[in-house]
Amino acid sequence: MDRAKPFDIPKREVWEAYKRVRANQGTAGVDGESIADFEADLTNNLYKLWNRLSSGSYHPPPVRRVDIPKGEGGGTRPLGIPTVADRIAQTVVKRYLEPLVEPCFHQDSYGYRPGKSALDAVGMARQRCWRYAWVLDLDIQSFFDRIDSNLLMRAVRKHTDCPWVLLYIERWLKAPVQMADGSLVARERGTPQGGVISPVLSNLFLHYTFDMWMVRNYPNIPFERYADDVICHCRSEEQARTLRVSLEQRFAQCGLTLHPDKTKVVYCKDDDRRGKYPDQKFDFLGYTFRPRLSRRWNGFGVSFSPAVSGQALKSVRQTVRGWTLHQRSDKTLDDLARMFNKYPWLDQLLRPLLQVGSLSRAPPHRPRFGPMGASEVQVPETPQAADTSLVGASRAPPA
């Protein structure tokens, strides 16, 4: 440790953080500096960043705001793009904080966590929709923009008293936003969706706002949460509506609001549950859950299952169309895989499309169901299961 510096931040941590940022690539922030520009004077840039972090003089620059289309619902979603140097600084703090909070997170929290994925959340939701007749589909309005900074810092202090971690998180929460016209907007709430540290902070906030509150007050209602996308499974319509009222009050206490139209109670209709209700489908992480025709041991029947949503399929078609594969007939499959492997999100999206087949074994809670038909997308229980089910298939290549 350099005794002249008030904070003990090893240079090695800055170097490891840089390697992660370089691997993730990403666009330039408000300074217009790309990763290639940053690497043009890499040694000096990393040293200056370490020097400022260690001395406590690092102040985050404004975050560049970019609006991206939201999907079927219309509108846009604001993303905050930090500079390259700021992404490295955030990664340094994330590498310190994440190991402290990760063991405390709920097992049904799946978003941005090591060893967990969106497919894990969808697979668990699929199984629970067979066992529970009702679902409460939660939609939190502008979650990332409305996080209460004071409550968030209270949550962070429960897990660490490291002075430089607390100092820089507070500064990031107050960093202004640069709009498309160049104007700066002060920020008193929220954390930019697109920042490196934002997923950990948002998970920590909802861990205390939602996860632990559910454990204390509704321990018999299971849920899946992927960041701010939440599905709760209930035994009855009355239970679901009671939970909705309670959650509206709970989120209001924490400065959040449930969307009055997008938050809904859904009936999981199948052959055993034949009631008629207005809402019988919901979207979760790019999948549409609804009654579907499925194969059984004695023929066909209806089960409540997921398949890739229409909006997700549209996104896949648009992206693949942009590859102009008809003009690349001279390329092998391996060549194409290397060319388009820069789309890791698409790899996760295409994997379920390839997994239309039979279950290796029938679920124990629904023994009469046989293999799934082609009308239903097979969701693997684990990422390892996804790998082994794609034998012989070519690998196709959210701030």
Side-chain angles (χ1 to χ4, degrees):
M1 174 182 176
D2 188 340
R3 297 298 177 183
K5 305 294 184 184
F7 300 139
D8 181 14
I9 302 177
K11 293 179 181 178
R12 186 72 186 182
E13 282 299 307
V14 178
W15 173 252
E16 294 297 330
Y18 154 71
K19 291 197 295 184
R20 286 198 185 183
V21 171
R22 181 184 60 181
N24 292 332
Q25 291 300 307
T27 187
V30 295
D31 58 359
E33 184 180 52
S34 66
I35 291 181
D37 297 332
F38 186 87
E39 290 176 333
D41 192 14
L42 181 61
T43 301
N44 287 332
N45 285 334
L46 290 180
Y47 177 80
K48 285 190 295 184
L49 180 60
W50 168 81
N51 188 49
R52 292 171 181 171
L53 288 172
S54 299
S55 63
S57 62
Y58 178 76
H59 290 271
V63 176
R64 182 168 70 91
R65 173 167 168 160
V66 176
D67 293 321
I68 62 173
K70 215 170 187 179
E72 287 181 340
T76 59
R77 183 189 306 277
L79 294 184
I81 309 299
T83 63
V84 174
D86 197 40
R87 294 206 294 273
I88 296 173
Q90 290 189 33
T91 304
V92 171
V93 174
K94 178 185 176 183
R95 283 171 54 86
Y96 182 94
L97 181 63
E98 190 173 52
L100 300 178
V101 300
E102 174 62 28
C104 303
F105 286 158
H106 195 278
Q107 62 181 358
D108 285 317
S109 169
Y110 295 89
Y112 312 114
R113 295 185 59 193
K116 290 181 177 285
S117 69
L119 280 182
D120 294 331
V122 172
M124 182 57 70
R126 171 176 173 256
Q127 295 180 29
R128 286 172 173 164
C129 283
W130 289 342
R131 300 198 296 266
Y132 294 84
W134 295 87
V135 156
L136 177 59
D137 180 12
L138 300 178
D139 186 281
I140 305 175
Q141 279 188 312
S142 305
F143 167 67
F144 284 89
D145 293 332
R146 297 188 178 184
I147 293 177
D148 187 300
S149 300
N150 293 326
L151 291 179
L152 177 56
M153 289 308 302
R154 282 178 56 187
V156 173
R157 290 188 181 95
K158 286 179 66 70
H159 296 272
T160 182
D161 58 357
C162 179
W164 59 270
V165 169
L166 298 175
L167 172 67
Y168 291 129
I169 290 178
E170 285 186 311
R171 288 181 180 176
W172 280 313
L173 293 176
K174 297 176 181 177
V177 176
Q178 185 183 75
M179 310 302 288
D181 61 1
S183 61
L184 295 180
V185 177
R187 190 155 46 88
E188 297 180 355
R189 300 175 67 89
T191 178
Q193 189 173 359
V196 175
I197 195 69
S198 295
V200 177
L201 297 180
S202 62
N203 264 339
L204 186 60
F205 187 83
L206 281 179
H207 173 73
Y208 290 106
T209 299
F210 176 78
D211 299 355
M212 291 298 97
W213 183 87
M214 286 289 292
V215 170
R216 292 193 305 270
N217 296 277
Y218 293 93
N220 297 322
I221 296 182
F223 63 86
E224 296 85 37
R225 181 176 67 79
Y226 191 96
D228 60 330
D229 291 327
V230 187
I231 299 296
C232 302
H233 302 269
C234 300
R235 295 288 184 185
S236 66
E237 181 181 15
E238 180 184 3
Q239 186 183 50
R241 297 197 181 282
T242 300
L243 176 61
R244 174 174 180 167
V245 172
S246 298
L247 282 172
E248 287 174 345
Q249 297 172 355
R250 171 59 178 174
F251 283 127
Q253 293 172 355
C254 300
L256 300 175
T257 305
L258 290 180
H259 196 291
D261 299 324
K262 296 181 180 180
T263 298
K264 58 184 179 180
V265 175
V266 179
Y267 181 62
C268 303
K269 185 176 183 178
D270 63 11
D271 274 347
D272 292 336
R273 304 185 287 245
R274 303 193 178 193
K276 294 183 179 180
Y277 296 90
D279 291 316
Q280 297 182 8
K281 69 175 183 178
F282 65 90
D283 287 349
F284 183 52
L285 302 178
Y287 288 81
T288 297
F289 286 70
R290 65 173 177 83
R292 301 180 187 278
L293 188 64
S294 301
R295 276 200 327 205
R296 291 182 174 184
W297 65 274
N298 61 346
F300 286 88
V302 176
S303 68
F304 195 85
S305 301
V308 179
S309 69
Q311 182 64 25
L313 286 175
K314 180 180 178 181
S315 176
V316 171
R317 286 193 293 267
Q318 290 176 341
T319 301
V320 174
R321 192 177 297 120
W323 294 348
T324 60
L325 294 177
H326 61 285
Q327 298 177 1
R328 307 179 191 274
S329 58
D330 60 320
K331 301 292 191 296
T332 66
L333 288 178
D334 288 339
D335 292 335
L336 294 174
R338 283 192 293 270
M339 290 171 63
F340 302 117
N341 199 35
K342 61 182 179 179
Y343 299 99
W345 61 269
L346 192 61
D347 179 55
Q348 279 199 331
L349 194 59
L350 290 178
R351 273 177 176 264
L353 296 179
L354 299 174
Q355 293 175 265
V356 179
S358 60
L359 285 169
S360 58
R361 55 182 174 83
H365 56 274
R366 194 50 80 87
R368 71 180 189 285
F369 272 82
M372 299 171 65
S375 62
E376 198 173 342
V377 172
Q378 170 65 32
V379 180
E381 295 183 359
T382 63
Q384 291 76 17
D387 294 336
T388 56
S389 65
L390 288 172
V391 176
S394 298
R395 183 183 181 91

